[in-house]
Amino acid sequence: MKVNVSILMVVCVFLLASCSSSEKDPVLKEVENSNMDTTKIHYGEYDSFGFRVDTLQIEDHQVKRNESLYLILNKYDFTNQEIYNITKAAQEIVDVRSFKPGQRYRTYASKGNSNELSRLVWQPSLENYVVFDLSDSLQIYESQKQISIQARTASATIENSLYETMLDKNLSPLLAYRLSDIFAWEIDFFRLRDGDAFKVIYEEKYLDDSFYSIGEVLAVEFKHRGDVYYAYKFEEGDVSGYYDEEGNSVQKALLKAPFKYGQRISSGFSHNRFHPVLKRRIPHYGVDYAAPHGTPVLAVGDGTIIESQYRGASGNIVKIRHNGTYETAYLHLSGFARGIRRGAKVTQGQMIGYVGKTGRVTGTHLDYRIYINDRPVNPLTVDLPASESVPDSLLSSFMEVQGKYQKQLDKAADPQPMISQK
């Protein structure tokens, strides 16, 4: 197992940001679902990991079901003692139990003997990899591929939904998610109208010269129901977020709706609504969302749970106090998320329960309510309070950044209505 090979280590200059750390990388998922098992690779002098390969035989593989580092190494010319030594050394660097079906790994072997490995590179994800240098001076270390970033400007007019507009314009659906996340405090994305439009400056990430993912959204102009909303990314010192043209945070104390994605509104706020069960007119101090049974319900803001129980006509209810002024309630839940109980702290966007039809109802839906100083208000029309704005000491720096992005937005083509294909 004596092989002398020089190592060129690639240093990453950018890290990949996640939309949701708990979700599987969609690019990696696509790789895992492919049928690639073992592929012989022919490169020039160096491969994408920066290793010289013109004198070696290299192959790409995918981890099979129930395959471990031990089973992979056991297919080559290693003794049990050598595999034990490699595995023990690896445990100090990475979790060797993290080998999962569909993950890639690359083997480097002598051209005269494909079973005599000099190196193995394992990719837990597309950008992260672990190098096993299997020469006499065994070395194991983690590294990352270099990710290049390019700024791009896009614009579109919405005729169906934001998601469908992205597809029609050959834009990543992830961009729709980012925009809805930025403007969750400003725009109700469940009520977009045909003719709403946006311009956006955002980053695209490239890995091995191929599109990899969406990066940061840098600036947005969003026209909605006759109003124009702006958001500019600004970071300096401890200040970081999205702000409007005057430096006010576009992030509010409460989200516009308790869902991540759009749900149909089946009944609005009313002081005199005809009740479908009682068959008489009574006040309805909430907004009903006709979401599918089991749809996750999110806390619209940070706060403390003051009620989490079954309460008669309200069914399973969660009530949250956000501060001395604001409270929200979520009625008719099918059940509660783990840890949701009276006295528990919750954060904005945290799942608190699931849509159901408990209590006095005729069908599955969520009744969502907002209270200001213990008085119910219409969630669709309430003016929500803003979070912290850019401090005066950084306002000049922000205005410089805002001006630069605004010039780019002004130069972008105005969104045009899409022409239907019939």
Side-chain angles (χ1 to χ4, degrees), residues 29 39 71 87 217 247 284 391 394 398 421:
K29 184 177 181 181
T39 305
L71 293 177
T87 303
V217 171
H284 181 247
L394 296 178
F398 165 76
Q421 300 292 330

Side-chain angles (χ1 to χ4, degrees), residues 280-329:
R280 59 186 175 88
R281 292 192 174 276
I282 61 173
H284 181 247
Y285 292 141
V287 172
D288 289 347
Y289 289 90
H293 189 277
T295 300
V297 177
L298 310 180
V300 297
D302 296 351
T304 302
I305 296 175
I306 57 176
E307 185 177 3
S308 176
Q309 63 175 347
Y310 184 93
R311 186 185 0 129
S314 299
N316 290 323
I317 180 175
V318 170
K319 198 168 185 180
I320 301 173
R321 176 178 292 119
H322 300 283
N323 54 29
T325 302
Y326 288 84
E327 293 179 2
T328 55

Side-chain angles (χ1 to χ4, degrees), residues 350-391:
Q350 179 178 337
M351 185 171 67
I352 58 173
Y354 309 89
V355 172
K357 55 178 181 179
T358 56
R360 191 166 57 204
V361 296
T362 58
T364 301
H365 71 281
L366 174 75
D367 183 343
Y368 168 59
R369 305 187 177 195
I370 296 180
Y371 299 86
I372 297 179
N373 295 322
D374 295 325
R375 294 181 60 184
V377 296
N378 189 342
L380 300 180
T381 60
V382 63
D383 187 15
L384 300 176
S387 298
E388 293 184 5
S389 302
V390 175

